[in-house]
Amino acid sequence: MLCYLEHVSFLLFSVSYLPFCFSVYTILSKVHSDRNVYPSAGVLFVHVLEREYFKGEFPPYPKPGEISNDPITFNTNLMGYPDRPGWLRYIQRTPYSDGVLYGSPTVENVGKPTIIEITAYNRRTFETARHNLIINIMSAEDFPLPYQAEFFIRNMNVEEMLASEVLGDFLGAVKNVWQPERLNAINITSALDRGGRVPLPINDMKEGVYVMVGADVPFSSCLREVENPQNQLRCSQEMEPVITCDKKFRTQFHIDWCKISLVDNTKQVSTFQEVIRGEGILPDGGEYKPPSDTLKSRDYYSDFLITLAVPSAIALVLFLILAYIMCCRREGVIQLVHHSAIQKSTKELRDMSKNREIAWPLSTLPVFHPVTGEIVPPLHTDSYDNTSMPLMQTQQ
């Protein structure tokens, strides 16, 4: 006989845990049979996909004695569909860690078995193993709990918070502050699913996680301290509010009290309105007249005149007006003559610039010899090509 506080594959988190004993018979088999779990609607459901459980489906290492540590990933989906139900989430950080299915079942699925196909992939051998998880959602007697509070924990990731020990410690701290007779974890959501940013990989920063719990008694005075005007003002200024019971969480959980949400379902007014259905008959709009099957012939001559003839005529008129102004009027003739004179003058200047004489630099003029006093001729003759002559020349 073995005694367990909880089954590894199915966890219903509550503050009061009742141990139970039963006989366990182990049958070794490489074929995974279907698993049946029985969560309650409105209570957090957690199912751990253990890598050790699936290693028996894959061949061992080629060398005997080596420890098998193959990377294994999981794929989960609702049977017959490509994804999981809307209330069920899945997370696995690395191929060397266990996968976790978690979520809060809804009342709509009570009594309907939900079959989840779980496929394990061995990333070393590329082999797969598959089995089904049958979720039989049960109805809760006191669902939903009338008082619900949602906490935002900044120093936790969702897979860390899903561990039974960590979640049990958090529920114990909440029970110590709230003092309810019944306290359940309703749902857990990662901050990334609420639009949060991925934290920088420095200083061991965490993503943050939202934890919703429900109880059967009104909120304690400590939880309502965040609603007073002083703390609301501090939250608007991005300052930490003053909460007297924060020290009961601070040792393990860093709670952002400005993001706490308190919901009292006993004061909510139902907004449901009865839908008045009509006869379903549309008003009479006469008989329907479909278009004729025969198409009438159409003359495209007018379209041709509008698109081609009219623009061509306007362009011709503008050309004639411009020719008259430039060739027949005095102002136009003067402009043409002036333009021609400018072109002729420019051409003459260019021809003159090619034949102009360049003044000789001082270094090329005759100089006196420093010893004999005779005049030394320049370094070039009169027939020297002065167009390629440098500005400075070395004297002998």
Side-chain angles (χ1 to χ4, degrees):
M1 298 289 290
L2 298 177
C3 296
Y4 288 86
L5 291 179
E6 56 192 7
H7 195 278
V8 69
S9 64
F10 169 57
L11 307 177
L12 281 179
F13 288 101
S14 178
V15 173
S16 59
Y17 294 95
L18 298 179
F20 53 92
C21 301
F22 54 89
S23 300
V24 178
Y25 300 93
T26 304
I27 301 176
L28 299 178
S29 175
K30 290 188 176 181
V31 179
H32 289 155
S33 60
D34 296 344
R35 286 187 176 183
N36 286 270
V37 292
Y38 300 90
S40 298
V43 182
L44 180 64
F45 162 75
V46 178
H47 180 81
V48 181
L49 305 180
E50 297 182 346
R51 296 175 64 253
E52 296 294 335
Y53 182 79
F54 289 88
K55 283 183 179 179
E57 290 292 323
F58 305 122
Y61 269 51
K63 296 181 180 180
E66 292 186 359
I67 300 176
S68 177
N69 191 26
D70 293 344
I72 299 176
T73 58
F74 301 94
N75 182 38
T76 60
N77 63 279
L78 182 64
M79 179 175 286
Y81 295 89
D83 203 354
R84 298 173 299 276
W87 61 269
L88 189 62
R89 295 186 178 94
Y90 167 75
I91 186 171
Q92 183 187 18
R93 288 291 179 180
T94 65
Y96 297 95
S97 60
D98 296 335
V100 182
L101 285 170
Y102 67 99
S104 181
T106 57
V107 184
E108 291 77 8
N109 295 324
V110 172
K112 301 177 183 178
T114 302
I115 303 177
I116 303 297
E117 294 180 340
I118 301 176
T119 305
Y121 296 90
N122 189 322
R123 295 302 178 181
R124 182 181 67 89
T125 62
F126 300 100
E127 293 185 342
T128 60
R130 178 178 297 175
H131 79 85
N132 297 331
L133 176 68
I134 303 176
I135 303 176
N136 303 281
I137 302 175
M138 310 295 291
S139 60
E141 297 178 357
D142 53 354
F143 175 81
L145 292 173
Y147 303 96
Q148 299 177 2
E150 187 177 54
F151 300 85
F152 177 65
I153 305 174
R154 293 177 293 185
N155 64 327
M156 287 286 175
N157 289 333
V158 62
E159 72 276 5
E160 299 173 348
M161 197 67 198
L162 289 172
S164 59
E165 298 82 5
V166 178
L167 188 56
D169 294 342
F170 177 76
L171 291 178
V174 174
K175 184 181 180 181
N176 191 16
V177 172
W178 201 340
Q179 297 295 330
E181 296 181 2
R182 183 174 178 81
L183 180 68
N184 288 338
I186 299 177
N187 200 2
I188 290 181
T189 307
S190 173
L192 301 182
D193 297 333
R194 298 284 188 89
R197 295 183 177 181
V198 178
L200 296 175
I202 56 176
N203 298 331
D204 196 22
M205 298 181 65
K206 305 293 184 178
E207 299 173 355
V209 61
Y210 289 89
V211 181
M212 178 176 286
V213 298
D216 55 350
V217 297
F219 304 108
S220 63
S221 58
C222 174
L223 295 179
R224 290 198 174 275
E225 289 180 359
V226 72
E227 297 179 348
N228 61 51
Q230 292 80 8
N231 286 330
Q232 291 294 326
L233 178 61
R234 294 177 66 89
C235 289
S236 63
Q237 297 175 352
E238 297 184 357
M239 300 174 61
E240 288 288 340
V242 179
I243 307 297
T244 58
C245 58
D246 180 61
K247 59 183 179 181
K248 297 182 179 180
F249 297 90
R250 182 64 62 176
T251 57
Q252 189 175 1
F253 307 100
H254 297 170
I255 297 179
D256 190 346
W257 292 100
C258 292
K259 294 184 179 181
I260 188 175
S261 176
L262 304 177
V263 179
D264 187 355
N265 292 325
T266 61
K267 298 181 180 180
Q268 292 184 357
V269 180
S270 177
T271 59
F272 175 76
Q273 296 181 357
E274 184 180 357
V275 179
I276 301 176
R277 300 183 180 275
E279 299 178 354
I281 302 176
L282 297 177
D284 186 13
E287 296 181 358
Y288 174 69
K289 296 180 181 180
S292 176
D293 296 336
T294 59
L295 297 177
K296 296 180 180 180
S297 60
R298 182 178 177 182
D299 187 9
Y300 292 96
Y301 182 73
S302 58
D303 297 338
F304 170 77
L305 294 178
I306 295 174
T307 57
L308 294 180
V310 173
S312 301
I314 294 175
L316 180 60
V317 171
L318 294 176
F319 176 76
L320 294 177
I321 293 174
L322 182 60
Y324 171 74
I325 292 174
M326 297 301 297
C327 300
C328 300
R329 295 182 62 84
R330 183 172 179 272
E331 293 83 357
V333 174
I334 292 175
Q335 290 182 1
L336 291 177
V337 173
H338 186 256
H339 180 69
S340 178
I342 291 175
Q343 285 187 338
K344 184 178 180 181
S345 301
T346 303
K347 186 174 183 299
E348 292 178 355
L349 290 174
R350 290 178 178 176
D351 294 338
M352 293 172 60
S353 64
K354 294 180 180 180
N355 300 326
R356 65 182 178 178
E357 293 293 336
I358 303 175
W360 300 107
L362 296 177
S363 59
T364 61
L365 295 179
V367 294
F368 293 94
H369 196 277
V371 179
T372 60
E374 296 178 355
I375 297 177
V376 179
L379 299 178
H380 60 82
T381 60
D382 294 339
S383 61
Y384 184 76
D385 186 7
N386 54 19
T387 58
S388 61
M389 181 180 60
L391 293 179
M392 301 294 295
Q393 291 184 355
T394 305
Q395 295 182 356
Q396 294 182 356

mmCIF file of all heavy atoms in Angstrom, residues 67-98:
data_model
loop_
_atom_site.group_PDB
_atom_site.id
_atom_site.type_symbol
_atom_site.label_atom_id
_atom_site.label_comp_id
_atom_site.label_asym_id
_atom_site.label_seq_id
_atom_site.Cartn_x
_atom_site.Cartn_y
_atom_site.Cartn_z
ATOM 1 N N ILE A 67 23.987 7.076 -19.807
ATOM 2 C CA ILE A 67 22.687 7.592 -19.357
ATOM 3 C C ILE A 67 21.990 8.251 -20.535
ATOM 4 O O ILE A 67 22.552 9.114 -21.211
ATOM 5 C CB ILE A 67 22.877 8.590 -18.203
ATOM 6 C CG1 ILE A 67 23.566 7.905 -17.033
ATOM 7 C CG2 ILE A 67 21.540 9.166 -17.772
ATOM 8 C CD1 ILE A 67 23.875 8.849 -15.871
ATOM 9 N N SER A 68 20.765 7.846 -20.786
ATOM 10 C CA SER A 68 20.000 8.405 -21.899
ATOM 11 C C SER A 68 19.442 9.765 -21.507
ATOM 12 O O SER A 68 18.718 9.887 -20.513
ATOM 13 C CB SER A 68 18.845 7.458 -22.273
ATOM 14 O OG SER A 68 18.063 8.021 -23.294
ATOM 15 N N ASN A 69 19.808 10.767 -22.259
ATOM 16 C CA ASN A 69 19.317 12.129 -22.006
ATOM 17 C C ASN A 69 19.003 12.795 -23.334
ATOM 18 O O ASN A 69 19.525 13.862 -23.663
ATOM 19 C CB ASN A 69 20.343 12.936 -21.210
ATOM 20 C CG ASN A 69 19.769 14.251 -20.710
ATOM 21 O OD1 ASN A 69 18.565 14.379 -20.518
ATOM 22 N ND2 ASN A 69 20.617 15.242 -20.512
ATOM 23 N N ASP A 70 18.151 12.148 -24.124
ATOM 24 C CA ASP A 70 17.804 12.679 -25.437
ATOM 25 C C ASP A 70 16.915 13.908 -25.287
ATOM 26 O O ASP A 70 16.066 13.967 -24.392
ATOM 27 C CB ASP A 70 17.066 11.616 -26.257
ATOM 28 C CG ASP A 70 17.965 10.451 -26.616
ATOM 29 O OD1 ASP A 70 19.192 10.613 -26.508
ATOM 30 O OD2 ASP A 70 17.445 9.378 -26.975
ATOM 31 N N PRO A 71 17.069 14.880 -26.182
ATOM 32 C CA PRO A 71 16.132 16.014 -26.177
ATOM 33 C C PRO A 71 14.769 15.573 -26.697
ATOM 34 O O PRO A 71 14.647 15.008 -27.788
ATOM 35 C CB PRO A 71 16.797 17.031 -27.109
ATOM 36 C CG PRO A 71 17.689 16.206 -27.988
ATOM 37 C CD PRO A 71 18.145 15.040 -27.167
ATOM 38 N N ILE A 72 13.739 15.830 -25.924
ATOM 39 C CA ILE A 72 12.376 15.395 -26.256
ATOM 40 C C ILE A 72 11.464 16.612 -26.185
ATOM 41 O O ILE A 72 11.484 17.363 -25.210
ATOM 42 C CB ILE A 72 11.881 14.295 -25.292
ATOM 43 C CG1 ILE A 72 12.777 13.064 -25.392
ATOM 44 C CG2 ILE A 72 10.438 13.922 -25.591
ATOM 45 C CD1 ILE A 72 12.416 11.968 -24.403
ATOM 46 N N THR A 73 10.680 16.807 -27.235
ATOM 47 C CA THR A 73 9.672 17.860 -27.262
ATOM 48 C C THR A 73 8.299 17.225 -27.450
ATOM 49 O O THR A 73 8.178 16.074 -27.882
ATOM 50 C CB THR A 73 9.945 18.860 -28.393
ATOM 51 O OG1 THR A 73 9.970 18.161 -29.648
ATOM 52 C CG2 THR A 73 11.275 19.570 -28.185
ATOM 53 N N PHE A 74 7.260 17.993 -27.139
ATOM 54 C CA PHE A 74 5.903 17.480 -27.173
ATOM 55 C C PHE A 74 5.038 18.375 -28.046
ATOM 56 O O PHE A 74 5.263 19.583 -28.158
ATOM 57 C CB PHE A 74 5.308 17.416 -25.756
ATOM 58 C CG PHE A 74 6.080 16.551 -24.810
ATOM 59 C CD1 PHE A 74 7.050 17.107 -23.983
ATOM 60 C CD2 PHE A 74 5.863 15.180 -24.748
ATOM 61 C CE1 PHE A 74 7.774 16.327 -23.100
ATOM 62 C CE2 PHE A 74 6.582 14.388 -23.870
ATOM 63 C CZ PHE A 74 7.540 14.960 -23.046
ATOM 64 N N ASN A 75 4.043 17.738 -28.660
ATOM 65 C CA ASN A 75 3.016 18.446 -29.419
ATOM 66 C C ASN A 75 1.662 17.967 -28.925
ATOM 67 O O ASN A 75 1.412 16.760 -28.825
ATOM 68 C CB ASN A 75 3.165 18.179 -30.919
ATOM 69 C CG ASN A 75 2.143 18.946 -31.729
ATOM 70 O OD1 ASN A 75 1.822 20.083 -31.402
ATOM 71 N ND2 ASN A 75 1.614 18.329 -32.769
ATOM 72 N N THR A 76 0.790 18.899 -28.597
ATOM 73 C CA THR A 76 -0.519 18.562 -28.042
ATOM 74 C C THR A 76 -1.600 19.203 -28.880
ATOM 75 O O THR A 76 -1.466 20.346 -29.322
ATOM 76 C CB THR A 76 -0.625 19.045 -26.587
ATOM 77 O OG1 THR A 76 -0.446 20.467 -26.553
ATOM 78 C CG2 THR A 76 0.439 18.381 -25.708
ATOM 79 N N ASN A 77 -2.673 18.477 -29.099
ATOM 80 C CA ASN A 77 -3.810 19.008 -29.851
ATOM 81 C C ASN A 77 -5.061 18.212 -29.508
ATOM 82 O O ASN A 77 -4.985 17.059 -29.065
ATOM 83 C CB ASN A 77 -3.539 18.936 -31.363
ATOM 84 C CG ASN A 77 -3.383 17.519 -31.862
ATOM 85 O OD1 ASN A 77 -2.306 16.932 -31.726
ATOM 86 N ND2 ASN A 77 -4.439 16.949 -32.430
ATOM 87 N N LEU A 78 -6.188 18.854 -29.701
ATOM 88 C CA LEU A 78 -7.474 18.189 -29.523
ATOM 89 C C LEU A 78 -7.683 17.217 -30.671
ATOM 90 O O LEU A 78 -7.390 17.530 -31.836
ATOM 91 C CB LEU A 78 -8.600 19.228 -29.487
ATOM 92 C CG LEU A 78 -10.014 18.718 -29.261
ATOM 93 C CD1 LEU A 78 -10.153 18.078 -27.890
ATOM 94 C CD2 LEU A 78 -11.018 19.854 -29.421
ATOM 95 N N MET A 79 -8.152 16.030 -30.361
ATOM 96 C CA MET A 79 -8.305 15.001 -31.383
ATOM 97 C C MET A 79 -9.227 15.504 -32.498
ATOM 98 O O MET A 79 -10.337 15.956 -32.262
ATOM 99 C CB MET A 79 -8.885 13.723 -30.770
ATOM 100 C CG MET A 79 -9.101 12.601 -31.782
ATOM 101 S SD MET A 79 -9.642 11.056 -31.033
ATOM 102 C CE MET A 79 -8.121 10.511 -30.273
ATOM 103 N N GLY A 80 -8.709 15.416 -33.718
ATOM 104 C CA GLY A 80 -9.462 15.875 -34.871
ATOM 105 C C GLY A 80 -9.297 17.345 -35.179
ATOM 106 O O GLY A 80 -9.879 17.834 -36.151
ATOM 107 N N TYR A 81 -8.484 18.071 -34.383
ATOM 108 C CA TYR A 81 -8.280 19.508 -34.576
ATOM 109 C C TYR A 81 -6.781 19.809 -34.486
ATOM 110 O O TYR A 81 -6.019 19.074 -33.856
ATOM 111 C CB TYR A 81 -9.041 20.324 -33.531
ATOM 112 C CG TYR A 81 -10.544 20.182 -33.648
ATOM 113 C CD1 TYR A 81 -11.215 19.159 -32.964
ATOM 114 C CD2 TYR A 81 -11.285 21.051 -34.436
ATOM 115 C CE1 TYR A 81 -12.584 19.020 -33.072
ATOM 116 C CE2 TYR A 81 -12.658 20.916 -34.537
ATOM 117 C CZ TYR A 81 -13.307 19.899 -33.861
ATOM 118 O OH TYR A 81 -14.659 19.759 -33.975
ATOM 119 N N PRO A 82 -6.336 20.907 -35.087
ATOM 120 C CA PRO A 82 -4.894 21.203 -35.081
ATOM 121 C C PRO A 82 -4.390 21.830 -33.793
ATOM 122 O O PRO A 82 -3.180 21.908 -33.594
ATOM 123 C CB PRO A 82 -4.737 22.177 -36.255
ATOM 124 C CG PRO A 82 -6.064 22.847 -36.351
ATOM 125 C CD PRO A 82 -7.093 21.825 -35.959
ATOM 126 N N ASP A 83 -5.286 22.292 -32.921
ATOM 127 C CA ASP A 83 -4.843 22.986 -31.721
ATOM 128 C C ASP A 83 -5.599 22.459 -30.508
ATOM 129 O O ASP A 83 -6.491 21.622 -30.622
ATOM 130 C CB ASP A 83 -5.057 24.495 -31.868
ATOM 131 C CG ASP A 83 -4.148 25.303 -30.964
ATOM 132 O OD1 ASP A 83 -3.437 24.685 -30.153
ATOM 133 O OD2 ASP A 83 -4.167 26.543 -31.064
ATOM 134 N N ARG A 84 -5.258 22.979 -29.354
ATOM 135 C CA ARG A 84 -5.892 22.574 -28.101
ATOM 136 C C ARG A 84 -7.176 23.375 -27.880
ATOM 137 O O ARG A 84 -7.412 24.380 -28.563
ATOM 138 C CB ARG A 84 -4.922 22.817 -26.935
ATOM 139 C CG ARG A 84 -3.649 22.012 -27.010
ATOM 140 C CD ARG A 84 -2.682 22.445 -25.921
ATOM 141 N NE ARG A 84 -2.314 23.846 -26.059
ATOM 142 C CZ ARG A 84 -1.359 24.287 -26.859
ATOM 143 N NH1 ARG A 84 -0.673 23.432 -27.603
ATOM 144 N NH2 ARG A 84 -1.076 25.564 -26.929
ATOM 145 N N PRO A 85 -7.998 22.978 -26.910
ATOM 146 C CA PRO A 85 -9.164 23.808 -26.559
ATOM 147 C C PRO A 85 -8.734 25.178 -26.062
ATOM 148 O O PRO A 85 -7.594 25.385 -25.633
ATOM 149 C CB PRO A 85 -9.855 22.983 -25.459
ATOM 150 C CG PRO A 85 -9.364 21.597 -25.635
ATOM 151 C CD PRO A 85 -7.980 21.691 -26.194
ATOM 152 N N GLY A 86 -9.652 26.114 -26.110
ATOM 153 C CA GLY A 86 -9.295 27.485 -25.746
ATOM 154 C C GLY A 86 -8.881 27.647 -24.303
ATOM 155 O O GLY A 86 -8.089 28.542 -23.984
ATOM 156 N N TRP A 87 -9.371 26.827 -23.401
ATOM 157 C CA TRP A 87 -9.051 26.984 -21.993
ATOM 158 C C TRP A 87 -7.751 26.274 -21.607
ATOM 159 O O TRP A 87 -7.257 26.462 -20.483
ATOM 160 C CB TRP A 87 -10.173 26.420 -21.128
ATOM 161 C CG TRP A 87 -10.428 24.946 -21.323
ATOM 162 C CD1 TRP A 87 -11.304 24.378 -22.196
ATOM 163 C CD2 TRP A 87 -9.790 23.870 -20.626
ATOM 164 N NE1 TRP A 87 -11.270 23.016 -22.102
ATOM 165 C CE2 TRP A 87 -10.349 22.670 -21.135
ATOM 166 C CE3 TRP A 87 -8.831 23.788 -19.636
ATOM 167 C CZ2 TRP A 87 -9.952 21.414 -20.686
ATOM 168 C CZ3 TRP A 87 -8.431 22.547 -19.188
ATOM 169 C CH2 TRP A 87 -8.994 21.365 -19.698
ATOM 170 N N LEU A 88 -7.163 25.489 -22.483
ATOM 171 C CA LEU A 88 -5.999 24.673 -22.162
ATOM 172 C C LEU A 88 -4.752 25.270 -22.811
ATOM 173 O O LEU A 88 -4.729 25.549 -24.009
ATOM 174 C CB LEU A 88 -6.208 23.241 -22.642
ATOM 175 C CG LEU A 88 -5.172 22.203 -22.210
ATOM 176 C CD1 LEU A 88 -5.153 22.067 -20.690
ATOM 177 C CD2 LEU A 88 -5.457 20.860 -22.858
ATOM 178 N N ARG A 89 -3.701 25.453 -22.014
ATOM 179 C CA ARG A 89 -2.423 25.977 -22.498
ATOM 180 C C ARG A 89 -1.328 24.935 -22.302
ATOM 181 O O ARG A 89 -1.486 23.994 -21.527
ATOM 182 C CB ARG A 89 -2.045 27.273 -21.769
ATOM 183 C CG ARG A 89 -2.996 28.435 -22.028
ATOM 184 C CD ARG A 89 -2.448 29.697 -21.391
ATOM 185 N NE ARG A 89 -3.285 30.844 -21.647
ATOM 186 C CZ ARG A 89 -4.243 31.273 -20.829
ATOM 187 N NH1 ARG A 89 -4.458 30.636 -19.695
ATOM 188 N NH2 ARG A 89 -4.980 32.328 -21.134
ATOM 189 N N TYR A 90 -0.217 25.153 -22.996
ATOM 190 C CA TYR A 90 0.919 24.226 -22.916
ATOM 191 C C TYR A 90 2.210 25.035 -22.910
ATOM 192 O O TYR A 90 2.327 26.046 -23.608
ATOM 193 C CB TYR A 90 0.908 23.264 -24.105
ATOM 194 C CG TYR A 90 2.193 22.482 -24.263
ATOM 195 C CD1 TYR A 90 2.495 21.431 -23.411
ATOM 196 C CD2 TYR A 90 3.108 22.819 -25.252
ATOM 197 C CE1 TYR A 90 3.680 20.729 -23.541
ATOM 198 C CE2 TYR A 90 4.291 22.123 -25.390
ATOM 199 C CZ TYR A 90 4.565 21.072 -24.530
ATOM 200 O OH TYR A 90 5.739 20.382 -24.656
ATOM 201 N N ILE A 91 3.192 24.575 -22.140
ATOM 202 C CA ILE A 91 4.488 25.249 -22.078
ATOM 203 C C ILE A 91 5.571 24.218 -21.840
ATOM 204 O O ILE A 91 5.386 23.241 -21.099
ATOM 205 C CB ILE A 91 4.510 26.332 -20.978
ATOM 206 C CG1 ILE A 91 5.825 27.105 -21.040
ATOM 207 C CG2 ILE A 91 4.300 25.722 -19.602
ATOM 208 C CD1 ILE A 91 5.854 28.312 -20.139
ATOM 209 N N GLN A 92 6.709 24.419 -22.516
ATOM 210 C CA GLN A 92 7.931 23.636 -22.317
ATOM 211 C C GLN A 92 9.091 24.537 -22.694
ATOM 212 O O GLN A 92 9.223 24.964 -23.845
ATOM 213 C CB GLN A 92 7.951 22.362 -23.157
ATOM 214 C CG GLN A 92 9.181 21.491 -22.912
ATOM 215 C CD GLN A 92 9.270 20.312 -23.859
ATOM 216 O OE1 GLN A 92 8.618 20.302 -24.918
ATOM 217 N NE2 GLN A 92 10.061 19.318 -23.505
ATOM 218 N N ARG A 93 9.945 24.841 -21.735
ATOM 219 C CA ARG A 93 11.018 25.806 -21.966
ATOM 220 C C ARG A 93 12.086 25.250 -22.888
ATOM 221 O O ARG A 93 12.475 25.882 -23.867
ATOM 222 C CB ARG A 93 11.632 26.217 -20.631
ATOM 223 C CG ARG A 93 10.740 27.112 -19.802
ATOM 224 C CD ARG A 93 10.592 28.478 -20.419
ATOM 225 N NE ARG A 93 9.709 29.330 -19.629
ATOM 226 C CZ ARG A 93 9.416 30.570 -19.949
ATOM 227 N NH1 ARG A 93 9.899 31.120 -21.038
ATOM 228 N NH2 ARG A 93 8.605 31.282 -19.188
ATOM 229 N N THR A 94 12.601 24.062 -22.574
ATOM 230 C CA THR A 94 13.696 23.463 -23.340
ATOM 231 C C THR A 94 13.372 22.003 -23.619
ATOM 232 O O THR A 94 12.527 21.400 -22.935
ATOM 233 C CB THR A 94 15.028 23.558 -22.569
ATOM 234 O OG1 THR A 94 14.935 22.765 -21.365
ATOM 235 C CG2 THR A 94 15.333 25.003 -22.190
ATOM 236 N N PRO A 95 14.031 21.384 -24.621
ATOM 237 C CA PRO A 95 13.808 19.955 -24.874
ATOM 238 C C PRO A 95 14.272 19.046 -23.739
ATOM 239 O O PRO A 95 13.976 17.854 -23.768
ATOM 240 C CB PRO A 95 14.616 19.693 -26.154
ATOM 241 C CG PRO A 95 14.781 21.023 -26.792
ATOM 242 C CD PRO A 95 14.859 21.997 -25.667
ATOM 243 N N TYR A 96 14.980 19.595 -22.756
ATOM 244 C CA TYR A 96 15.450 18.797 -21.630
ATOM 245 C C TYR A 96 14.616 19.014 -20.368
ATOM 246 O O TYR A 96 14.999 18.567 -19.298
ATOM 247 C CB TYR A 96 16.918 19.117 -21.345
ATOM 248 C CG TYR A 96 17.834 18.766 -22.488
ATOM 249 C CD1 TYR A 96 18.199 19.724 -23.425
ATOM 250 C CD2 TYR A 96 18.315 17.469 -22.651
ATOM 251 C CE1 TYR A 96 19.037 19.406 -24.494
ATOM 252 C CE2 TYR A 96 19.153 17.146 -23.706
ATOM 253 C CZ TYR A 96 19.505 18.121 -24.622
ATOM 254 O OH TYR A 96 20.324 17.794 -25.676
ATOM 255 N N SER A 97 13.500 19.709 -20.502
ATOM 256 C CA SER A 97 12.596 19.918 -19.373
ATOM 257 C C SER A 97 11.241 19.304 -19.692
ATOM 258 O O SER A 97 10.913 19.034 -20.853
ATOM 259 C CB SER A 97 12.439 21.412 -19.075
ATOM 260 O OG SER A 97 11.904 22.087 -20.201
ATOM 261 N N ASP A 98 10.456 19.070 -18.661
ATOM 262 C CA ASP A 98 9.125 18.481 -18.827
ATOM 263 C C ASP A 98 8.163 19.516 -19.395
ATOM 264 O O ASP A 98 8.303 20.725 -19.177
ATOM 265 C CB ASP A 98 8.600 17.969 -17.490
ATOM 266 C CG ASP A 98 9.459 16.841 -16.935
ATOM 267 O OD1 ASP A 98 10.119 16.161 -17.748
ATOM 268 O OD2 ASP A 98 9.476 16.638 -15.705
#
